[in-house]
Amino acid sequence: MKLIQTVKVLPFIALSAMCIQAQPNFDAKHLPRFEDFPISEPWNPPPAALKLTTRSERMFKTRLTEAAKEPPNFAGHYRITYWGCGSVCSAGALIDLQTGDVFPPPLAKPNGSGWERWIECTACFEGANNEFHVESRLMIVRCGLNYSERLQKNVPDTYYFVLEQGRFRQLLLVSGKQSLP
């Protein structure tokens, strides 16, 4: 019996090892690219009903409901939406249009309540932004205050995330402080 179970598991182990080896190593000289993380297949609507299950999600019912009516803009079947939360603050959410589930953006507190669950960046100064594509699972988040007197501008930290099974996994952080002259 054990031999049969082992034989069934071996192909899975081999496939997992190939996937781990296929995962490129990223650093400041070899940055993740959108084409490194393609979606598996295009999504065809209609969208699922929006699921607002927590008090924190219902706080932003109007914004999330409106965003759920829009087409996907990230990773095939997700809609990323943002709203203001102060003068130098960014908040938003990720909506899975296939399931109707709502997730916090990267850098937010996933187990937070109220606003803190949705605040992605508390230092949105010059150069802060997010970059993502509908055909890729990669999201680039630029956030933080690293002001350069010499350059006379802010150089934010740059985070690289990949979406895996509805959750963000950080691939790389390039500190804005390290890139200052």
Side-chain angles (χ1 to χ4, degrees), residues 82-145:
Y82 295 101
W83 55 85
C85 60
S87 60
V88 294
C89 175
S90 172
L94 176 75
I95 302 168
D96 185 337
L97 298 174
Q98 275 187 326
T99 66
D101 294 326
V102 179
F103 304 97
L107 301 181
K109 294 181 181 177
N111 296 324
S113 61
W115 274 94
E116 69 183 11
R117 178 173 168 87
W118 310 111
I119 294 176
E120 179 177 65
C121 183
T122 57
C124 289
F125 295 96
E126 177 189 13
N129 62 34
N130 292 353
E131 194 175 345
F132 48 87
H133 298 183
V134 72
E135 68 279 350
S136 178
R137 297 177 300 116
L138 178 68
M139 182 176 198
I140 303 170
V141 178
R142 293 176 187 90
C143 176
L145 179 59

Side-chain angles (χ1 to χ4, degrees), residues 23-74:
Q23 200 56 255
N25 291 325
F26 298 110
D27 58 35
K29 292 182 182 179
H30 302 92
L31 300 175
R33 301 171 307 155
F34 290 104
E35 56 268 20
D36 294 333
F37 301 95
I39 60 170
S40 56
E41 59 186 57
W43 177 67
N44 296 316
L50 187 62
K51 297 176 190 172
L52 301 177
T53 58
T54 67
R55 182 175 180 263
S56 182
E57 291 166 355
R58 289 187 296 274
M59 282 176 63
F60 302 100
K61 178 181 180 178
T62 302
R63 181 66 205 121
L64 292 171
T65 300
E66 289 302 312
K69 295 175 186 175
E70 297 175 29
N73 61 1
F74 175 63

Side-chain angles (χ1 to χ4, degrees), residues 143-155:
C143 176
L145 179 59
N146 302 301
Y147 189 77
S148 167
E149 287 292 333
R150 190 167 94 59
L151 298 175
Q152 295 291 300
K153 71 175 189 174
N154 183 47
V155 181

